[in-house]
Amino acid sequence: MTFRIQILASILLGVAAIGASGQSAPHQNGGGLLQRTARLEVRDVSLETALRELWQRSSVPLAFSPDLLDGNDRVSCACAAATVRQALDTLLLGTGLQFQENGSRVIVTPADVSRPQREARPPQPEGQMSGVVVGDVRAALDSQPIMGAHVLVSGLPGEVRTDARGRFRVRLESGTYDLTVRALGYAPRELPDLAVTGGDTSIVSVYLRRAPLRLTEIIVTPSTFGILDEDEVVTQQTLSRDEVRSQPGLGEDIYRAVDRLPGVSSHDITAKLHVRGGPNDQLLHMLDGVELYEAFHLKDAGGVFSIIDVESVSGVDLLTGGFTAEYGDKMTGVFSMRTTTPPPDRIRTTLGLSLGNVSAKSEGGFAGGKGTWLASVRRGYLDIIFELTGVDEEINPTYYDAYAKVQYQLSPRHLFTGHVLHAGDRMSSHEDDGTMLESDWGSSYVWLNWHADFTNSLSVQTMLSYANGKRERLGAENDLETGVPQLDVDDIGNFDSYGVRQTWSLLASDWLALKWGADLRQSTADYDYFRWRRSWIPNTTHPFAPPWTAQYDSVTVVVDTAGFETGLYLSSRFRPVEQFTTEVGVRYDRHTHTDEEDWSPRINAALEFAPRTTLRGAWGLFYQSQELHGMYVIDGDDQFYPAQHAEHRVVGLSHRLLDGTSIRLEAYERRIADPWPEYRSLEGQIEVVPEEGPGDRIRVDPTRGLARGIELFVKRDVGGRFAWSASYALAEAKEEIDGGWVYRPFDQRHTLNIEAAYRPNRWWSLSCAFHFHSGWPATEEIFYAGQTARGDYYSMSKFGELYAERMPAYHRMDVRISRRFPIGRSQLSIFLDVFNIYDRENTLALNTNVNWHWTGNRARIVTTRGAHGLIGILPTVGARWEF
């Protein structure tokens, strides 16, 4: 009965709002003091003066501290007939303060949300009096505030957005204006002929009715996460820009910002992602539509940072399964990044200093706002840190990256964009065990985009691209006692790719949309690899011969190869009824270097069977070919293998509570067929020279694979002082080898993430994150004693059952404190980040310590288990200056 009464009340409220002219009653959730008449008339006075005047004229006691008030804030309020609540809404909007009735007085305190955009100011003649429009935007069904709604004012360039409480404020010259309020998922609302008088404040409340999204805006892929995007309705935003900036983590890296999402795993050293048990090379990495073949710095150390500055990224779509037909040649997921749109009317510059790098970004406009530009550059200084601190004088890593974009709006229907990205790495390593590495890596991308809207329903995007990747590795190992060379590696590689891609989109009607496209690429890859290695074999048969015999092996791979890749896709999105949308697509891929062609049917569907509740499902086949630059030359393998493929089955349920809490529950299964062979180090350590240890590196030939799990994600962040999120995943990733099933190296049975943030005011933020997962699989190394023919003892080893052991469980907590300082029109942000605050000794790999025990003249080996640890407690500081 209570539920029915709530529904009836919501319907009546919606009807009342629909019948109004855009202005409706003020908030009714206050007490008696807030409903009293304000009787306030002030113009261009300080906020403190206005509050004291309100106290005197309304006879409502106000409690506030003058220290909280900005002395530069000047306010006006024509609130003679308004309530005290409306007057306080007007005076405090944009100040970072809030109010609440407490007994016999009203208390003004720091707000729960960061300071919103204070107001938009059009150019005004000097000395002309202006007025203020203050309003809030809410949903008609449940009166929930709508964050991020667009408020457009006739004659005012740009737009205003509502804050986390659905509020906005705009200053205008005296006159009459038309206001239009838009929000994704809601029908637009117009407020015509709104009169603004100089020195006065107009108060409006707008209630929006739910409206079906455009067919192309509906999310049909269940495993979709949006990062940084402002349009939460479309992207199902999981992490906002402020959250990415304020959450703890190493290096402020965009990849590390998502490693606590369900289904995603990595470890402390590398930024590479393992999605639902699949390795990083099964993830499609994209930036503004172009594929990034190598997206990480310091590749010899596992890929420590990404090559993209997070400050240049405006949004990320992470798809962890079941993606639609426009994405091809990867069989696990998609990580698609979009760069920021520069402001057309001014220059904005950001300087940053964080763990590992210093960065600079500048952006602005030209040609009267038709064109914009963006340029960013970063330089890593780990080499300087190592040298100054003496942490590791044996390793000298350097890296840098640069990105530039120019955008020009030729006409309202034609947009041209040019992009350039370059990244470089150098690594110099001289270790105590005699191992040496000198490496030089580089990657460059150039691409042009033309987006054309031929009609309101038909659009096309054309992209021309070029990509280059190169590497040069020189490795060696010398015997510590004699200095005799044991290993020599000379590895040179180069990759070039030229591509053209065209994507068409047709919105045939409100219930039918079509997408189709083609992707053509011509690529070449050159390999020049040489490895020479000396190993020692014990003499167990001839007592008068030397106890050890040198054995030599060498590998030479010299290959110049080329290939042409064709990708075609067609998909149809259909909405027979408002609550149900489905997309059916098929993809065709052809690769000449492996002489194969593949067809990939895919189906996605979304059913909104209750308010704020959506059921999504996906099924499809996903093929992945071995790329031209992906030959396993360091293992002496010069073959290209046929495409591996996977079948995805995903179902997900998402629901948003009335209080703003969002809940997502998903179940998935990925069946893998024809997997490639893999070369793995069973010790599990990151080796800068993988060829160094031949005994622990083996070839694994799985015949099929399986990854499945259940994921739960809950988040609450409605702009208050406290925000939190939590996720849990129960999963397994395994493969069949030699007729038996074994777990994959990054299998995590249980994964738990908890994050919390406290924002006492608009300047301070405190956040912490706890991460736990089950131990990864490991393989035991078994040592035993042997004797030469002369009676000398030596140790030998072999590996036990593949991945039959488990490392200890992993857990850690990170904490970050950040503070913003306004400096004129600029802003300085600083942070203190403590990684692994309780100094947990997490395990990267297990090892075995060998000890000799003698009984008389006989010796035996006694082993103890040890561990190679990950990063311990690591405090860092950083700063960012925006001006």
Side-chain angles (χ1 to χ4, degrees):
M1 179 64 70
T2 302
F3 177 73
R4 293 181 179 177
I5 293 175
Q6 291 175 345
I7 292 295
L8 178 60
S10 299
I11 294 174
L12 292 175
L13 178 60
V15 172
I18 294 170
S21 63
Q23 299 185 21
S24 61
H27 310 302
Q28 299 298 326
N29 56 342
L33 296 178
L34 292 174
Q35 297 305 114
R36 292 184 182 180
T37 304
R39 301 184 178 89
L40 178 66
E41 289 278 358
V42 291
R43 293 188 179 182
D44 196 29
V45 298
S46 68
L47 178 57
E48 181 178 357
T49 300
L51 291 176
R52 296 190 184 280
E53 186 76 6
L54 177 62
W55 184 348
Q56 179 180 354
R57 292 186 176 273
S58 66
S59 299
V60 173
L62 299 177
F64 61 90
S65 171
D67 294 337
L68 297 175
L69 308 182
D70 187 346
N72 296 322
D73 275 340
R74 311 295 292 181
V75 296
S76 300
C77 189
C79 303
T83 64
V84 172
R85 171 180 291 281
Q86 291 175 317
L88 287 173
D89 274 337
T90 302
L91 296 174
L92 300 183
L93 183 60
T95 64
L97 302 174
Q98 66 178 2
F99 61 90
Q100 60 180 354
E101 184 176 337
N102 186 356
S104 59
R105 60 180 180 172
V106 174
I107 302 175
V108 178
T109 60
D112 295 340
V113 297
S114 300
R115 182 172 184 151
Q117 179 181 357
R118 179 156 179 82
E119 59 190 30
R121 295 174 179 260
Q124 306 178 44
E126 185 175 354
Q128 181 170 336
M129 184 69 70
S130 61
V132 176
V133 177
V134 176
D136 67 330
V137 181
R138 294 177 175 269
L141 178 63
D142 52 17
S143 296
Q144 290 295 308
I146 300 175
M147 177 182 178
H150 302 251
V151 181
L152 296 89
V153 183
S154 59
L156 178 65
E159 61 188 20
V160 180
R161 289 209 177 194
T162 55
D163 62 14
R165 293 185 172 183
R167 303 182 302 178
F168 69 90
R169 173 172 175 163
V170 57
R171 184 179 294 275
L172 301 168
E173 299 178 19
S174 299
T176 302
Y177 297 87
D178 296 332
L179 268 64
T180 302
V181 182
R182 302 178 185 274
L184 288 168
Y186 296 88
R189 190 69 181 276
E190 295 184 357
L191 287 76
D193 302 327
L194 179 65
V196 177
T197 304
D200 290 345
T201 300
S202 300
I203 302 174
V204 296
S205 293
V206 183
Y207 286 84
L208 300 183
R209 291 176 296 165
R210 286 295 303 269
L213 292 172
R214 292 186 65 188
L215 186 57
T216 55
E217 297 172 338
I218 297 173
I219 296 177
V220 294
T221 303
S223 306
T224 302
F225 296 93
I227 298 98
L228 303 179
D229 283 295
E230 296 177 355
D231 292 330
E232 182 176 356
V233 176
V234 171
T235 62
Q236 288 195 325
Q237 183 181 31
T238 306
L239 294 173
S240 68
R241 178 170 297 276
D242 286 341
E243 288 175 302
V244 170
R245 284 177 171 176
S246 63
Q247 72 177 6
L250 286 175
E252 293 190 303
D253 193 279
I254 186 62
Y255 280 81
R256 294 181 182 273
V258 305
D259 64 0
R260 287 186 286 264
L261 293 178
V264 181
S265 63
S266 65
H267 62 66
D268 303 355
I269 299 174
T270 177
K272 293 183 177 181
L273 304 178
H274 292 251
V275 175
R276 291 179 172 174
N280 179 78
D281 61 8
Q282 295 179 8
L283 190 67
L284 177 61
H285 307 266
M286 302 179 71
L287 177 68
D288 285 337
V290 75
E291 180 178 355
L292 301 181
Y293 297 100
E294 184 54 69
F296 300 94
H297 285 299
L298 304 180
K299 304 165 192 64
D300 296 302
V304 181
F305 302 109
S306 72
I307 64 174
I308 307 300
D309 183 5
V310 66
E311 291 299 321
S312 298
V313 178
S314 67
V316 178
D317 290 331
L318 173 62
L319 284 68
T320 58
F323 41 95
T324 50
E326 66 263 36
Y327 302 110
D329 211 24
K330 295 294 180 181
M331 69 174 194
T332 294
V334 178
F335 192 89
S336 179
M337 297 170 281
R338 297 176 299 281
T339 54
T340 59
T341 299
D345 55 346
R346 64 187 179 92
I347 295 178
R348 181 171 59 196
T349 302
T350 303
L351 303 178
L353 180 69
S354 65
L355 173 68
N357 67 74
V358 58
S359 63
K361 184 189 74 169
S362 187
E363 52 189 346
F366 62 93
K370 289 185 176 181
T372 59
W373 55 270
L374 180 151
S376 68
V377 62
R378 293 190 302 173
R379 201 281 189 185
Y381 53 82
L382 288 178
D383 54 330
I384 300 175
I385 293 177
F386 289 168
E387 182 177 353
L388 293 177
T389 61
V391 171
D392 197 336
E393 299 178 354
E394 302 168 352
I395 301 179
N396 183 24
T398 62
Y399 64 94
Y400 67 92
D401 55 65
Y403 172 77
K405 176 176 75 170
V406 177
Q407 183 172 285
Y408 188 78
Q409 190 83 45
L410 183 64
S411 71
R413 292 186 179 273
H414 295 272
L415 176 66
F416 291 88
T417 311
H419 311 254
V420 177
L421 172 65
H422 176 71
D425 298 76
R426 289 186 177 180
M427 173 78 81
S428 177
S429 174
H430 297 265
E431 301 182 13
D432 292 337
D433 62 359
T435 305
M436 179 275 292
L437 174 71
E438 297 287 342
S439 69
D440 190 351
W441 297 75
S443 57
S444 301
Y445 304 85
V446 180
W447 68 106
L448 302 173
N449 271 312
W450 168 36
H451 184 92
D453 294 318
F454 294 122
T455 69
N456 292 335
S457 301
L458 179 63
S459 63
V460 60
Q461 181 166 322
T462 305
M463 184 180 71
L464 302 176
S465 64
Y466 166 73
N468 170 261
K470 63 178 183 178
R471 71 176 182 276
E472 184 174 349
R473 299 169 56 246
L474 299 176
E477 181 184 6
N478 296 326
D479 185 89
L480 292 178
E481 297 181 358
T482 64
V484 175
Q486 307 294 324
L487 174 69
D488 182 44
V489 176
D490 190 346
D491 181 12
I492 299 175
N494 189 75
F495 171 76
D496 291 285
S497 179
Y498 300 85
V500 57
R501 185 171 69 209
Q502 195 168 70
T503 303
W504 292 80
S505 176
L506 173 63
L507 184 60
S509 67
D510 291 339
W511 53 270
L512 178 63
L514 300 175
K515 292 187 299 182
W516 67 94
D519 189 358
L520 310 176
R521 280 183 283 186
Q522 174 68 46
S523 304
T524 61
D526 302 330
Y527 298 89
D528 188 354
Y529 181 84
F530 172 77
R531 184 197 70 210
W532 171 89
R533 182 162 49 206
R534 183 206 312 263
S535 56
W536 296 94
I537 306 300
N539 172 21
T540 60
T541 57
H542 302 287
F544 300 105
W548 297 92
T549 302
Q551 186 178 67
Y552 302 88
D553 73 275
S554 63
V555 171
T556 301
V557 179
V558 179
V559 176
D560 296 335
T561 185
F564 190 80
E565 303 170 49
T566 303
L568 306 173
Y569 78 91
L570 171 65
S571 66
S572 171
R573 180 169 291 201
F574 179 63
R575 181 168 57 181
V577 295
E578 181 179 329
Q579 293 79 14
F580 179 71
T581 304
T582 183
E583 181 170 328
V584 179
V586 63
R587 184 177 183 90
Y588 167 81
D589 289 283
R590 165 75 174 159
H591 304 276
T592 61
H593 67 285
T594 56
D595 191 24
E596 60 184 336
E597 54 186 21
D598 304 304
W599 292 89
S600 308
R602 302 175 190 180
I603 301 174
N604 296 71
L607 173 64
E608 186 179 4
F609 62 87
R612 305 179 307 279
T613 305
T614 303
L615 178 68
R616 295 181 175 88
W619 174 89
L621 298 181
F622 301 82
Y623 285 84
Q624 180 171 345
S625 65
Q626 187 174 357
E627 296 174 312
L628 276 175
H629 65 282
M631 188 179 288
Y632 304 135
V633 293
I634 69 170
D635 297 288
D637 193 335
D638 60 357
Q639 297 186 51
F640 287 112
Y641 293 91
Q644 54 187 352
H645 69 275
E647 178 188 359
H648 288 207
R649 304 170 181 177
V650 189
V651 61
L653 181 68
S654 62
H655 179 72
R656 182 175 61 85
L657 302 177
L658 288 176
D659 64 0
T661 303
S662 59
I663 304 173
R664 296 177 58 170
L665 179 65
E666 286 195 8
Y668 68 91
E669 183 179 74
R670 187 172 72 249
R671 294 179 175 270
I672 304 165
D674 302 320
W676 301 329
E678 295 185 19
Y679 296 86
R680 301 176 187 169
S681 171
L682 294 184
E683 289 186 356
Q685 303 177 52
I686 294 178
E687 299 171 336
V688 295
V689 183
E691 299 92 339
E692 176 187 1
D696 71 313
R697 192 170 177 87
I698 67 168
R699 171 172 167 148
V700 177
D701 288 279
T703 54
R704 54 178 174 160
L706 177 65
R708 58 189 176 188
I710 300 175
E711 301 168 353
L712 174 65
F713 180 74
V714 184
K715 177 183 177 181
R716 176 171 168 79
D717 187 357
V718 293
R721 292 188 179 184
F722 294 94
W724 59 269
S725 67
S727 68
Y728 169 75
L730 174 65
E732 66 174 356
K734 56 186 181 180
E735 55 197 357
E736 187 181 45
I737 301 175
D738 295 331
W741 287 92
V742 299
Y743 289 104
R744 286 191 58 83
F746 276 82
D747 173 77
Q748 293 179 186
R749 184 66 172 170
H750 301 279
T751 305
L752 174 67
N753 293 294
I754 301 175
E755 298 190 46
Y758 174 62
R759 302 178 288 247
N761 53 48
R762 63 186 185 272
W763 308 120
W764 285 95
S765 175
L766 170 65
S767 60
C768 64
F770 175 77
H771 179 60
F772 167 90
H773 67 73
S774 303
W776 294 323
T779 303
E780 182 183 8
E781 187 174 11
I782 303 170
F783 284 83
Y784 58 93
Q787 276 188 293
T788 67
R790 296 172 52 176
D792 299 321
Y793 284 95
Y794 60 91
S795 64
M796 300 290 288
S797 69
K798 63 179 180 180
F799 287 96
E801 184 180 353
L802 191 64
Y803 301 126
E805 291 194 327
R806 288 278 176 173
M807 301 182 200
Y810 178 105
H811 59 85
R812 75 170 196 269
M813 178 176 286
D814 309 328
V815 176
R816 172 176 287 206
I817 301 174
S818 57
R819 174 70 159 92
R820 295 187 295 170
F821 299 90
I823 305 175
R825 295 185 177 181
S826 67
Q827 179 173 274
L828 175 66
S829 302
I830 62 173
F831 69 85
L832 169 65
D833 193 302
V834 184
F835 181 88
N836 194 1
I837 191 170
Y838 54 79
D839 200 20
R840 161 74 175 180
E841 295 184 5
N842 288 304
T843 302
L844 171 62
L846 298 176
N847 62 13
T848 304
N849 301 313
V850 177
N851 298 291
W852 289 93
H853 281 218
W854 292 85
T855 304
N857 293 327
R858 298 192 61 83
R860 62 186 180 91
I861 289 179
V862 177
T863 60
T864 57
R865 302 307 301 272
H868 292 281
L870 286 165
I871 299 175
I873 185 171
L874 179 61
T876 60
V877 295
R880 183 179 61 256
W881 183 26
E882 299 177 82
F883 58 92

